[in-house]
Amino acid sequence: MTVAETAADRGSRVRIVEAAARLLREQGVRAVTTRAVSQAAGVQAPTIYRQFGDKDGLIDAVAEHVMATYVAAKSETAAGEGDDPVADLRAAWRAHIDFGLANPGLYALLTNPDRAERSPATATGIEVLRARVRRVAAAGRLRVDEDRAVAMIHAAGAGTVLALAGQPAGQRDPDLAEAMFHTVAATLFTTAPATPDAEVATVAVTFATVLPGLPGLTDAERALMAEWLSRSLTHLRTAG
């Protein structure tokens, strides 16, 4: 294959993915047919089969493309966030809900477990969320360990989008997304520990966050301290 042919293939692939993404966003999954996409992209149907294999391969490529674009924008936003990590997380939550409701068909594809588990962009999105949660933990405002916080926020966000997207736009509760965030935030975050156990848990979570970067410790010492912290947090959760 010549350089010119490779460049041409890349160009047609981009046109196909963008055309399919536009059809998906505007008309839903059923509109993404080989015929419709080939017409919208200005290519022959065999080009789609050659580059993507079948319709499922094309849908996978579209989902990955849109998700990667969205995650890149989230990463840029995260790099310029302010002094209140919880407020920044709330703004990211709102943006996530808005993205899902603006792209309901695509969002359903992105949250399909079969696709999500093999999506690099989805994995990157989780890491962006994890970085935001880590900022909350480093500020001493996280009640639970990072993994649980990430899992709860991710699950609550996906559930909120799917619940709202399943309703006619005019019948949606406009306050549901905000209420869901406040419910999750009340469980995960704190501004001032209310009890001695809560204070201990907050300190333990914060220390676990900074532990990997502490100087002067061996790997074995870090592992032992991490085990102690994990055991203490498990005890506090059980006792509570």
Side-chain angles (χ1 to χ4, degrees), residues 42-62:
V43 300
Q44 298 297 316
T47 302
I48 295 177
Y49 292 117
R50 177 168 55 83
Q51 295 202 6
F52 301 96
D54 55 20
K55 179 181 175 179
D56 283 344
L58 173 59
I59 292 295
D60 281 342
V62 170

Side-chain angles (χ1 to χ4, degrees), residues 168-220:
Q171 298 178 21
R172 293 172 186 164
D173 179 353
D175 299 321
L176 178 63
E178 193 70 12
M180 282 296 296
F181 179 81
H182 284 301
T183 298
V184 173
T187 301
L188 300 181
F189 311 137
T190 181
T191 54
T195 66
D197 280 352
E199 184 173 0
V200 170
T202 299
V203 171
V205 169
T206 304
F207 188 59
T209 299
V210 301
L211 177 60
L214 287 179
L217 298 176
T218 66
D219 290 343

Side-chain angles (χ1 to χ4, degrees), residues 138-159:
R141 298 178 63 183
L142 190 61
R143 297 180 187 274
V144 303
D145 61 80
E146 285 184 31
D147 287 342
R148 174 163 294 192
V150 170
M152 288 181 66
I153 295 168
H154 178 66

Side-chain angles (χ1 to χ4, degrees), residues 41-136:
V43 300
Q44 298 297 316
T47 302
I48 295 177
Y49 292 117
R50 177 168 55 83
Q51 295 202 6
F52 301 96
D54 55 20
K55 179 181 175 179
D56 283 344
L58 173 59
I59 292 295
D60 281 342
V62 170
E64 191 68 15
H65 166 73
V66 176
M67 186 63 173
T69 302
Y70 171 61
V71 169
K74 287 206 305 182
S75 299
E76 290 178 3
T77 301
E81 288 177 340
D83 296 330
D84 186 341
V86 174
D88 292 336
L89 188 56
R90 177 183 174 276
W93 167 280
R94 184 68 257 181
H96 181 83
I97 302 299
D98 290 344
F99 170 80
L101 294 180
N103 303 273
L106 175 63
Y107 194 86
L109 291 173
L110 293 172
T111 53
N112 182 311
D114 291 338
R115 284 192 168 93
E117 69 181 7
R118 52 189 168 84
S119 165
T122 298
T124 301
I126 293 293
E127 289 309 307
V128 173
L129 171 59
R130 187 177 301 279
R132 287 197 170 100
V133 169
R134 186 163 293 130
R135 289 184 65 227
V136 177

